[in-house]
Amino acid sequence: MENGHVENGVCSSELVNGGRDIWSSNGSDSSSADHLVVMVHGILGSTKDWKFAAEQFVRVLPDKVFVHCSERNESKLTLDGVDVMGERLAVEVLEMIQRKPKLSKISFVSHSVGGLVARYAIGRLYGPPKRENVEDSSTNKCEEDSKGTIGGLEAMNFITVATPHLGSRGNKQVPFLFGVPAFEKAANCVIHLIFRRTGRHLFLNDDDEGKPPLLKRMIEDYGDCYFMSALRTFKRRVAYSNVGYDHIVGWRTSCIRRNSDLPKWEDSLNEKYPHVVYEEHCKANDDDEQCEPPSNEDKLEEELVTGLSRLSWEKVDVSFHSCRQRFAAHSVIQVKDQSMHIEGADVIQHMIDHFL
C-alpha cells in the first residue's frame, strides 16, 4: 500500500508533481477499489478545495473508489484558458491511470469552471467503441456495450457543481453584476484583464484564429476533440446548482436551463438532504429546433442550451437561503472549507448516495 497520512480510516498523500490521492487505509479495501474519481477545483482553486468531499467518498465507499484531487491547474494557472487547463488535466488523468493499472472505471466531480475543464479533458481522453461492439449494437446488444471509453476506462458519473455551462456573459449569468446591462457590458470588455484567457472563454468573446467561441465548439465533436461523444459515454451526467445566493455562477448557466424552464421550488422536507430543493431527470432532446431567443445577444446561449440538452441530465437544485453562510453558496455547495462551509455536507452526501 502507498505511504501517506492516515486519519479516520482514510489515507492521503500529496504527489510530487501536484495532486492529492485519497484512499481507504484498510489494505483489503484499497486493493479492491477499481473506480477512479477525479475531482477538479474551480478558478484560483487548489487540491484542498475538495478535501472534505474526497474523504467522505472514501469513508462511505472504501472498497470501491480511489479519489484523485487534481492540482495540475492550481491557483493562477486557472487563468490560462479552459482548453490549456483541459489539456493539462487530460495528461494528469492518463498519468494517474498508468500508475494504477487495476482501475476499470472513471468518474469526474468538478466545481465551477472545473466542470468546463473536465468537459474539455474528456474530449481528449475519449476512446471510440471497438468496431465489433458497434456492429453488435445494431442487433440485440445493449446500447451500453457500444459506448467508448475515457482513458481506456468505463465512464460512470460526470458531475458538475455550480459550473457555468452556458458561460458567464450577460443575461444575469453573473449575479454579483445585479443584472444591470451596463455592468454586464463593462464586465465583458474588461474580464480578460482580470481572468485573462479563461475570462474570454467564460464570456464567450474568444476568437482563436477565427474559430467559434470555445464553449460553442464544446457542444459538438470538433476537430480532434470528441467533446459530446465523450460526455455521452458517461452513464450519468449530473448538474448541481445553487438557486440563489451564488454570486459567481447564476442558476440558469449551472443547471443548463432557459429562464422559462426554471422550476418553482419549495423548502426541502427531506431531513437527509435539507438543502436539495428540486430534482429533475431530463431526457435527451434530439429535436434540433431551437427556441427563438429574446435578443441577438442570447442566440449563442440558446445554442449552448440546445446542444447540451441533446444528452440526458440529472439536475439537482440546491438552496442555502436559510443558512448562516448563504452568501458564500458558491463555496458551501462544495464544502470548500470544512469549518466554514459544513452546511453543504448534505449535498456531498447526496452525490455519494446516488453515485454509480
Side-chain angles (χ1 to χ4, degrees):
M1 187 176 70
E2 298 184 36
N3 295 321
H5 175 70
V6 180
E7 183 178 353
N8 297 326
V10 173
C11 193
S12 64
S13 69
E14 291 190 24
L15 307 181
V16 175
N17 58 349
R20 179 186 296 268
D21 291 343
I22 301 177
W23 67 97
S24 173
S25 60
N26 184 311
S28 60
D29 285 344
S30 62
S31 63
S32 64
D34 65 346
H35 190 159
L36 173 62
V37 181
V38 181
M39 293 190 169
V40 188
H41 59 73
I43 202 162
L44 298 177
S46 75
T47 183
K48 297 178 182 178
D49 294 353
W50 277 118
K51 182 178 185 296
F52 174 81
E55 292 177 352
Q56 291 303 111
F57 264 80
V58 171
R59 288 192 181 107
V60 179
L61 306 170
D63 59 337
K64 293 181 173 60
V65 301
F66 186 98
V67 179
H68 175 72
C69 297
S70 170
E71 198 180 24
R72 200 59 59 91
N73 293 303
E74 70 173 346
S75 190
K76 292 183 179 180
L77 293 177
T78 58
L79 307 181
D80 292 343
V82 171
D83 52 354
V84 173
M85 288 190 284
E87 297 284 356
R88 291 187 193 127
L89 178 60
V91 171
E92 182 178 8
V93 171
L94 287 176
E95 291 174 355
M96 184 71 221
I97 294 172
Q98 291 171 358
R99 290 198 300 111
K100 293 286 182 181
K102 292 184 180 180
L103 295 171
S104 62
K105 303 173 184 177
I106 189 169
S107 292
F108 286 79
V109 181
S110 308
H111 179 247
S112 196
V113 75
L116 300 178
V117 175
R119 279 177 49 199
Y120 189 99
I122 63 173
R124 280 295 193 194
L125 295 168
Y126 175 74
K130 295 180 181 178
R131 183 178 299 274
E132 58 267 26
N133 282 345
V134 174
E135 293 172 353
D136 288 343
S137 66
S138 63
T139 56
N140 295 323
K141 290 284 284 182
C142 175
E143 179 184 355
E144 300 295 333
D145 292 339
S146 66
K147 287 191 173 183
T149 60
I150 301 297
L153 306 182
E154 181 181 7
M156 303 298 288
N157 309 270
F158 190 87
I159 300 173
T160 63
V161 182
T163 289
H165 289 286
L166 309 181
S168 303
R169 81 167 186 189
N171 206 9
K172 301 180 181 180
Q173 296 291 31
V174 182
F176 78 76
L177 297 176
F178 307 108
V180 178
F183 290 174
E184 292 178 339
K185 185 176 181 179
N188 187 54
C189 295
V190 303
I191 194 66
H192 66 283
L193 300 176
I194 305 171
F195 294 114
R196 303 204 309 242
R197 200 154 173 272
T198 300
R200 290 191 180 278
H201 288 153
L202 290 174
F203 276 71
L204 308 171
N205 57 20
D206 54 303
D207 182 20
D208 295 336
E209 300 176 354
K211 297 177 182 177
L214 179 62
L215 295 194
K216 182 177 180 180
R217 284 177 264 158
M218 287 171 58
I219 60 171
E220 57 183 303
D221 292 344
Y222 192 96
D224 57 354
C225 287
Y226 297 89
F227 299 122
M228 290 301 282
S229 291
L231 201 53
R232 184 178 293 108
T233 296
F234 285 83
K235 294 184 183 297
R236 297 174 68 226
R237 288 159 296 278
V238 192
Y240 284 83
S241 310
N242 282 309
V243 302
Y245 289 103
D246 188 329
H247 300 292
I248 308 299
V249 177
W251 186 13
R252 283 200 337 281
T253 187
S254 58
C255 69
I256 317 174
R257 291 186 180 105
R258 302 173 182 88
N259 192 56
S260 59
D261 296 331
L262 292 174
K264 294 182 179 180
W265 58 272
E266 298 179 353
D267 289 347
S268 174
L269 299 178
N270 190 321
E271 293 184 2
K272 190 173 185 181
Y273 316 119
H275 300 113
V276 174
V277 296
Y278 195 87
E279 295 184 66
E280 182 179 11
H281 290 252
C282 299
K283 296 182 180 180
N285 182 6
D286 294 325
D287 186 358
D288 286 337
E289 183 178 350
Q290 298 181 4
C291 297
E292 184 65 28
S295 69
N296 291 333
E297 185 180 1
D298 298 326
K299 182 178 181 181
L300 181 52
E301 181 181 312
E302 175 61 33
E303 291 178 357
L304 299 182
V305 173
T306 301
L308 290 171
S309 297
R310 293 192 182 104
L311 303 179
S312 62
W313 288 85
E314 297 173 32
K315 298 179 181 180
V316 184
D317 300 302
V318 176
S319 174
F320 296 109
H321 70 284
S322 61
C323 296
R324 290 175 294 115
Q325 295 291 333
R326 58 185 177 276
F327 292 104
H330 191 67
S331 296
V332 174
I333 195 173
Q334 180 193 20
V335 192
K336 184 175 183 178
D337 182 292
Q338 184 173 347
S339 62
M340 293 179 60
H341 307 135
I342 195 60
E343 289 173 309
D346 64 308
V347 179
I348 304 302
Q349 188 62 52
H350 187 278
M351 290 182 205
I352 296 171
D353 290 345
H354 294 80
F355 205 71
L356 290 180

